[in-house]
Amino acid sequence: MIKTKRTIELEEENIRLQNEIKSLNNDIKRLKQRYNELDEIRQKASSRAKYCEYELEESKKEIENLKNTINEKDEELDNWKRCNRNLLRINKEKSNAKRGIYPKKEHSGYLLIYSNPIDYKYYLHGTHKKAQLYQTAFQTPYTIDVSYEDVYDSVIDDLAKKRNDEPCLLKQLGCYYFWPYDIYEVIIEDNIKEAQDDYYNQLIEEFTEKNNRKPYYSEEEEMRKESWDYDTDYFFNMNLRLNGKEGYWEVVLWHNFPINEVPPIMRYKREKKDDKKDKKA
């Protein structure tokens, strides 16, 4: 049987269409497979998201509980600190009364023991050096039954904080800076440079305020040179020691300047007999 040209064309078209159908079926199969994979991923992601939401809610609850616990502990700590401060205050007043210091409530409770010049030897930048420094010791109002930690924090607080709008005890002694944890070598390397920078910035501010303009470069250079020469009085390297004989803690301070005058609030004052008689009367 002889095929006509039209028959041949139709057969070829049929074969082509069959191949296209087969290719499309393969594509559909692949797409279904990919869809199933993505659906599985989606289900896992959805399950994971729900779990994460649950974890998030649980974490929020835990954080809230922790915040409440911290607030309770902070309140406890504040109460403890307040009680501790009151106990230390009572201890100081009793110590002042026992030592015959008046007025027992207003007096700092710190009494000068000695203040001596010291040749301080140190090693810096590969060179042995020596500086003229001073060492001063005060008897604190805290008895030896108070812990070291409580005394240390209280002494720093007593020395460095203002009371009743008066300068702090260190300022009354002529001190401008207080670095209780540092030794001399650290101070001249780091702290003095910082103090000089502070003084330089102060000079810039004062000049700008006075002249209503910023200083020129040459003027800034002069201020920088002035700040390099700037030296100030400071206390450093604070130590505590027990005096078992007297029954009180003592604080020893190093400083770079002589104490010319001890403020009245740090002098030894005994209650006069006449005052005691007047009180009895």
Side-chain angles (χ1 to χ4, degrees), residues 89-230:
R89 177 183 56 79
I90 293 168
N91 182 282
K92 182 172 75 171
E93 291 177 9
K94 285 183 177 179
S95 298
N96 286 349
K98 187 176 179 180
R99 291 178 293 170
I101 299 172
Y102 73 96
K104 68 177 184 179
K105 290 187 178 182
E106 287 76 16
H107 196 281
S108 68
Y110 288 80
L111 302 176
L112 178 67
I113 300 172
Y114 67 81
S115 186
N116 298 327
I118 299 287
D119 287 332
Y120 182 81
K121 296 178 181 179
Y122 62 101
Y123 186 79
L124 189 64
H125 301 315
T127 307
H128 291 280
K129 299 184 178 184
K130 185 168 71 172
Q132 174 72 70
L133 299 175
Y134 300 85
Q135 191 182 64
T136 297
F138 289 96
Q139 185 184 77
T140 76
Y142 303 109
T143 52
I144 59 176
D145 56 337
V146 182
S147 71
Y148 177 92
E149 291 78 12
D150 285 340
V151 172
Y152 197 91
D153 292 340
S154 297
V155 167
I156 291 179
D157 186 67
D158 291 341
L159 295 176
K161 285 193 176 180
K162 294 195 301 183
R163 294 289 184 273
N164 301 324
D165 296 327
E166 290 185 358
C168 67
L169 296 178
L170 292 177
K171 279 280 181 69
Q172 293 185 50
L173 288 167
C175 167
Y176 288 89
Y177 289 92
F178 185 36
W179 296 300
Y181 314 108
D182 293 334
I183 58 175
Y184 183 69
E185 295 90 309
V186 173
I187 289 170
I188 60 176
E189 270 292 274
D190 300 323
N191 304 55
I192 290 299
K193 290 178 183 176
E194 184 180 339
Q196 289 171 343
D197 288 339
D198 289 344
Y199 183 59
Y200 170 73
N201 292 329
Q202 180 185 333
L203 291 174
I204 294 288
E205 287 178 8
E206 289 175 354
F207 180 93
T208 304
E209 186 176 346
K210 181 179 179 181
N211 297 280
N212 208 17
R213 68 172 175 84
K214 292 184 177 180
Y216 300 127
Y217 177 77
S218 58
E219 294 168 329
E220 279 191 28
E221 285 297 298
E222 289 299 317
M223 294 177 195
R224 174 57 71 187
K225 289 177 183 177
E226 184 179 344
S227 69
W228 288 337
D229 295 331
Y230 175 70

Side-chain angles (χ1 to χ4, degrees), residues 76-92:
E76 261 181 59
L77 183 61
D78 288 340
N79 290 334
W80 180 86
K81 284 181 177 178
R82 192 159 45 248
C83 291
N84 199 42
R85 281 196 300 269
N86 287 333
L87 288 173
L88 289 171
R89 177 183 56 79
I90 293 168
N91 182 282
K92 182 172 75 171

Side-chain angles (χ1 to χ4, degrees), residues 1-102:
M1 183 177 178
I2 299 172
K3 295 181 179 180
T4 63
K5 183 179 178 182
R6 178 63 181 163
T7 301
I8 293 170
E9 288 176 352
L10 288 172
E11 287 178 351
E12 289 177 350
E13 180 68 16
N14 184 53
I15 292 170
R16 186 182 65 79
L17 289 172
Q18 289 294 329
N19 289 334
E20 282 188 12
I21 290 170
K22 186 177 180 180
S23 176
L24 287 170
N25 284 330
N26 289 334
D27 289 343
I28 290 170
K29 186 178 179 180
R30 283 196 303 272
L31 288 171
K32 282 184 177 180
Q33 185 178 355
R34 181 59 180 160
Y35 171 82
N36 292 333
E37 289 174 355
L38 292 173
D39 189 56
E40 186 179 354
I41 292 172
R42 181 190 62 78
Q43 289 178 8
K44 287 182 179 179
S46 177
S47 176
R48 179 63 182 164
K50 288 179 180 177
Y51 178 75
C52 288
E53 286 178 5
Y54 170 78
E55 286 284 294
L56 180 62
E57 290 301 318
E58 290 298 309
S59 297
K60 286 180 178 178
K61 290 177 183 177
E62 189 176 351
I63 290 171
E64 194 63 32
N65 290 335
L66 285 173
K67 283 182 178 178
N68 292 333
T69 303
I70 289 171
N71 290 335
E72 289 173 5
K73 294 298 180 185
D74 282 343
E75 191 174 343
E76 261 181 59
L77 183 61
D78 288 340
N79 290 334
W80 180 86
K81 284 181 177 178
R82 192 159 45 248
C83 291
N84 199 42
R85 281 196 300 269
N86 287 333
L87 288 173
L88 289 171
R89 177 183 56 79
I90 293 168
N91 182 282
K92 182 172 75 171
E93 291 177 9
K94 285 183 177 179
S95 298
N96 286 349
K98 187 176 179 180
R99 291 178 293 170
I101 299 172
Y102 73 96

